[in-house]
Amino acid sequence: METIKNRYEFVILFDVENGNPNGDPDAGNMPRIDPETGYGLVTDVCLKRKIRNYVETVKEDAPGYRIYVKDGVPLNRSDKEACDAIGVKADKLKEEKKKDDQLDAKLRDYMCLNFFDIRTFGAVMTTFVKGALNCGQVRGPVQLGFARSIDPIMPQEVTITRLAITTEEDAEKKGTEMGRKYIVPYGLYRCEGYVSANLARKTTGFSEEDLELLWQAIINMFEYDHSAARGKMSVRELIVFKHDTELGCAPAYKLFDAVHVEKNGDVVYPRAYTDYKVTVDSASLPAGVTCQRKI
């Protein structure tokens, strides 16, 4: 597969309706929020999880498209697999590396070749099993920032009831049980990301096919991951800026500044995507950069 030749930046706009896009375990699982401004936040880790889940769903562990950071699979199981594949003993890796100064590169290359998320996002592949099991550290060509809501959000705590009772003792005292869940009535979030062709060529081999799969995964990352807790979540825009060189033609902030998201007319409390207007100032783009709106 051919490694990508162009640098990219991209903007994702996604929204949530009557759901919790990313609960904060340190705050009783309420939606993450910037306490100074009231803007909602969604972590990069949360979004990467959705992308991994999509790739795992559509590729079903096809060769070259397995997922390293995966539910129910210990990391050192995959690390040990790399050692077995290149013929070294995982519990004597330190001694093996003294004999072969190319061993680190071999382990890294095996992991990048077989695991899509390592090839894309990178990984720290150091675990401990009878000593250090170290497959190296990889800085991935694709990086995401935190998503932030366009306007301040107002999380609501909704009381819910359950007819079923947990224990026999409780059943003698009450007929229902109470609970709570947090929702955001509506929020439009913006996330910015980067794709480095330079890191792809030097380190992971992230290819043109991988890039197309990444765009598909971003567009569909909520479509196979619906839940009652998250409500209705949808990716509304994927705006991609492509440089005509490997290292790029302009600073990323100039491209991000070209994307404007504004409320329509007299809207005070947005409750739908149609309450916003999204524009891209294509005339302000630097030479050597093109823009494509993939949704």
Side-chain angles (χ1 to χ4, degrees):
M1 294 186 291
E2 185 180 8
T3 304
I4 60 171
K5 299 293 191 295
N6 305 86
R7 192 183 108 185
Y8 297 84
E9 275 83 40
F10 57 93
V11 176
I12 310 167
L13 295 176
F14 63 91
D15 61 1
V16 59
E17 183 179 329
N18 294 327
N20 184 350
N22 186 202
D24 185 350
D26 289 330
N29 208 44
M30 72 174 291
R32 296 181 189 271
I33 194 169
D34 180 344
E36 290 186 337
T37 64
Y39 288 100
L41 299 173
V42 173
T43 66
D44 61 317
V45 175
C46 175
L47 298 177
K48 287 176 183 178
R49 178 75 271 149
K50 305 295 184 288
I51 293 170
R52 287 184 172 102
N53 288 348
Y54 175 84
V55 173
E56 184 179 4
T57 298
V58 299
K59 289 297 185 178
E60 297 184 340
D61 286 337
Y65 292 95
R66 294 165 59 196
I67 298 299
Y68 180 66
V69 182
K70 184 175 180 179
D71 183 35
V73 180
L75 298 178
N76 62 18
R77 183 185 301 171
S78 300
D79 296 338
K80 186 176 183 302
E81 176 190 311
C83 294
D84 294 340
I86 63 175
V88 297
K89 296 180 179 179
D91 57 350
K92 296 183 178 180
L93 195 55
K94 189 174 182 179
E95 291 80 1
E96 296 280 1
K97 288 184 177 181
K98 292 179 181 178
K99 301 175 185 177
D100 185 355
D101 58 3
Q102 296 299 312
L103 187 53
D104 282 332
K106 292 176 183 178
L107 290 167
R108 181 200 66 205
D109 291 346
Y110 176 88
M111 299 300 281
C112 289
L113 180 65
N114 285 276
F115 295 92
F116 173 82
D117 54 338
I118 296 177
R119 202 161 58 246
T120 304
F121 303 124
V124 178
M125 299 171 290
T126 304
T127 55
F128 293 88
V129 51
K130 297 181 181 179
L133 180 51
N134 187 351
C135 291
Q137 299 182 25
V138 176
R139 183 182 173 193
V142 179
Q143 300 298 328
L144 299 175
F146 276 32
R148 192 182 77 163
S149 63
I150 301 300
D151 290 295
I153 61 171
M154 183 60 69
Q156 297 180 8
E157 187 179 29
V158 179
T159 302
I160 56 177
T161 60
R162 186 178 71 178
L163 183 63
I165 307 303
T166 303
T167 66
E168 293 288 350
E169 292 77 9
D170 287 343
E172 296 175 1
K173 303 173 186 177
K174 56 187 178 181
T176 60
E177 289 190 338
M178 308 292 287
R180 290 180 173 83
K181 66 188 300 185
Y182 285 103
I183 65 167
V184 175
Y186 184 80
L188 179 63
Y189 289 75
R190 171 174 173 154
C191 176
E192 297 169 350
Y194 314 82
V195 182
S196 168
N198 186 254
L199 282 174
R201 174 175 60 83
K202 289 181 176 179
T203 309
T204 74
F206 185 77
S207 68
E208 294 290 347
E209 290 83 356
D210 292 332
L211 183 66
E212 287 306 311
L213 180 58
L214 174 68
W215 299 145
Q216 292 175 27
I218 290 173
I219 292 169
N220 295 288
M221 63 181 171
F222 300 119
E223 296 305 312
Y224 303 100
D225 196 52
H226 293 295
S227 76
R230 282 188 288 275
K232 179 183 175 183
M233 295 189 68
S234 305
V235 174
R236 298 291 188 164
E237 285 269 5
L238 174 57
I239 301 167
V240 178
F241 297 99
K242 179 180 180 180
H243 301 253
D244 63 8
T245 66
E246 179 183 283
L247 296 179
C249 307
Y253 77 86
K254 290 188 176 182
L255 310 182
F256 294 144
D257 286 349
V259 179
H260 305 283
V261 185
E262 300 172 339
K263 287 183 287 191
N264 284 324
D266 298 326
V267 173
V268 178
Y269 302 109
R271 286 297 182 268
Y273 183 66
T274 52
D275 290 335
Y276 288 96
K277 180 181 180 181
V278 180
T279 58
V280 180
D281 186 6
S282 299
S284 69
L285 296 181
V289 178
T290 57
C291 175
Q292 182 179 7
R293 297 174 74 163
K294 290 187 173 289
I295 297 183

